């Protein structure tokens, strides 16, 4: 019973973290102090199919030997996951001699020009940050990857739909009047496991006291799918123009866990493209890694197990 209760508590932490990402569609971006970044330390990566630990360098070598897309799912407020995310990116750069594209949920399609200008040295970092709407934790969580890409000449894809457009869709359920250049050419909100997970998340956090009117859930789900469709299409368009490339997509866990969300949408667009999903798992201080891996084995191809900050 105690183990069940611990598992329930950890799952609620996942759900609450997911809701914060969802509700962020409806809120303006705000500043915030980031937690200090830790060393890789106790973070481990486990192959979901076998339950065996795999060293990061060995995983990087495996991924570097193939083309396609690697999805690194994160909980946005967990420094240990950002450290692992950055370490894998750096390893892939070295192993592929820079032949890789970084794709990010955290930048939106309409800021691609200023992002390109910054990477090419045509504007200052201050100008880039002023015009690109970086996330509050950009300096500690995402700047290291962008700066590494800039240093070695790696493209960075601003994959997401603008936050204001997603928020409008979540509030109104309509795409009328929005600039179609910055969103997926086709968006759909399917029935099935992804919708079920989304609604379950909403109901769980509703019980926890974070009230969101149930009448808005469908519109919020459609906005979530708009983000997924836009990111999937951004990646698919990049693959079409640069065949044989490896794309490293960093995104929130809910967008790819269980091979749903962006992953499912990309597979529909590019069924022949190899896809690898790394899903985050947080320790609760008691459960061992083997138990965590067994309980979460369906969430990704590899599990990144880290201490919760």
């Amino acid at each position: 019973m105690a183990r069940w209760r611990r598992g329930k508590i950890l799952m609620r932490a996942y759900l609450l973290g997911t809701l914060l990402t969802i509700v962020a569609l409806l809120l303006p971006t705000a500043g915030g102090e980031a937690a200090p970044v830790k060393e890789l330390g106790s973070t481990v990566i486990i192959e979901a199919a076998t339950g065996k630990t795999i060293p990061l360098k060995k995983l990087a070598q495996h991924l570097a030997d193939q083309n396609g897309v690697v999805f690194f799912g994160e909980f946005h407020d967990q420094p240990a996951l950002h450290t692992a995310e950055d370490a894998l990116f750096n390893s892939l750069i070295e192993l592929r001699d820079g032949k890789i594209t970084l794709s990010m949920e955290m930048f939106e399609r309409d800021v691609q020009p200023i992002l390109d200008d910054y990477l090419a040295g045509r504007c200052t970092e201050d100008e880039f940050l002023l015009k690109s709407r970086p996330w509050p934790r950009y300096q500690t969580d995402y700047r290291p990857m962008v700066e590494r890409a800039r240093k070695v000449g790696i493209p960075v894809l601003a994959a997401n739909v603008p936050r204001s457009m997603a928020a409008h869709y979540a509030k109104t359920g309509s795409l009328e009047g929005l600039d179609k250049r910055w969103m997926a050419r086709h968006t759909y909100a399917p029935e099935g496991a992804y919708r079920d997970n989304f609604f379950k998340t909403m109901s769980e956090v509703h019980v926890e006291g974070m009230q969101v009117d149930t009448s808005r859930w469908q519109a919020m789900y459609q906005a979530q799918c708009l983000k997924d469709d836009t990111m999937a299409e951004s990646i698919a368009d990049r693959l079409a123009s640069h065949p044989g490339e490896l794309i490293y997509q960093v995104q929130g866990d809910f967008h790819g866990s269980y091979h749903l969300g962006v992953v499912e949408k990309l597979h529909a667009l590019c069924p022949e493209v190899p896809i690898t999903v790394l899903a985050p798992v947080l320790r609760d201080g008691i459960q061992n890694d083997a138990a965590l891996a067994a309980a979460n084995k369906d969430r990704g191809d590899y599990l990144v197990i880290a201490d919760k900050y």
Side-chain angles (χ1 to χ4, degrees):
M1 178 65 70
R3 178 173 293 181
W4 180 86
R5 286 173 61 84
R6 290 195 298 270
K8 187 70 172 178
I9 291 170
L10 185 60
M11 180 55 68
R12 285 185 176 181
Y14 289 153
L15 294 170
L16 286 171
T18 299
L19 179 69
L20 293 176
T21 300
I22 297 166
V23 173
L25 288 167
L26 306 177
L27 299 175
T29 301
E33 183 177 350
V37 176
K38 301 177 181 178
E39 297 298 324
L40 203 56
S42 60
T43 301
V44 299
I45 301 174
I46 293 180
E47 186 178 23
T50 64
K52 295 181 178 179
T53 300
I54 180 170
L56 185 140
K57 288 187 177 180
K58 182 177 180 180
L59 173 61
Q61 183 65 68
H62 170 69
L63 297 175
D65 288 341
Q66 62 186 37
N67 300 317
V69 183
V70 175
F71 287 93
F72 196 114
E74 62 173 52
F75 299 129
H76 300 312
D77 61 349
Q78 295 299 313
L81 295 174
H82 290 292
T83 299
E85 178 179 78
D86 185 47
L88 180 57
F89 178 53
N90 288 336
S91 293
L92 289 172
I93 290 174
E94 294 172 2
L95 290 167
R96 288 185 63 90
D97 193 26
K99 296 179 177 63
I100 181 174
T101 288
L102 173 63
S103 178
M104 305 183 73
E105 174 194 359
M106 300 79 197
F107 287 110
E108 298 156 6
R109 278 187 174 184
D110 62 319
V111 306
Q112 187 71 61
I114 190 65
L115 176 56
D116 290 343
D117 284 346
Y118 177 62
L119 295 173
R122 293 190 293 268
C123 71
T124 65
E125 184 176 20
D126 286 344
E127 183 180 1
F128 162 62
L129 294 177
L130 182 66
K131 296 180 178 179
S132 62
R133 303 188 301 274
W135 283 22
R137 296 168 60 92
Y138 173 79
Q139 290 293 331
T140 54
D141 295 349
Y142 307 111
R143 185 178 185 273
M145 288 189 290
V146 172
E147 289 302 310
R148 182 68 189 276
R150 181 172 180 259
K151 181 178 180 180
V152 299
I154 289 173
V156 180
L157 192 62
N160 210 350
V161 67
R163 175 186 295 263
S164 60
M165 296 174 68
H168 175 85
Y169 196 30
K171 290 176 182 177
T172 68
S174 172
L175 296 174
E176 290 298 320
L178 299 180
D179 192 333
K180 300 300 192 294
R181 291 178 299 168
W182 313 130
M183 68 174 69
R185 293 181 289 273
H186 174 62
T187 184
Y188 60 103
E191 303 284 335
Y194 194 54
R195 184 178 185 272
D196 293 345
N197 290 347
F198 187 93
F199 276 44
K200 182 177 185 295
T201 298
M202 299 302 295
S203 65
E204 289 280 352
V205 296
H206 196 79
V207 170
E208 294 287 345
M210 298 179 68
Q211 303 293 317
V212 179
D213 194 314
T214 56
S215 66
R216 299 181 64 186
W217 290 5
Q218 180 62 28
M220 292 177 70
Y221 173 62
Q222 291 172 341
Q224 177 82 0
C225 290
L226 176 62
K227 292 165 70 74
D228 294 337
D229 283 313
T230 302
M231 287 188 277
E233 185 186 272
S234 296
I235 295 169
D237 288 351
R238 177 71 189 183
L239 289 171
S241 61
H242 296 78
E245 190 168 73
L246 179 66
I247 295 182
Y248 187 69
Q249 161 83 354
V250 295
Q251 61 184 27
D253 171 62
F254 198 87
H255 287 291
S257 190
Y258 299 99
H259 289 79
L260 299 173
V262 184
V263 179
E264 181 180 30
K265 298 297 182 74
L266 179 63
H267 181 70
L269 293 172
C270 307
E272 75 288 352
V273 171
I275 292 174
T276 302
V277 176
L278 284 79
V281 179
L282 299 180
R283 300 185 182 96
D284 65 1
I286 299 175
Q287 288 178 294
N288 61 45
D289 292 348
L292 284 172
N296 291 277
K297 62 183 178 63
D298 295 330
R299 294 184 56 238
D301 302 297
Y302 297 92
L303 306 173
V304 183
I305 300 181
D307 292 330
K308 183 178 180 181
Y309 175 76

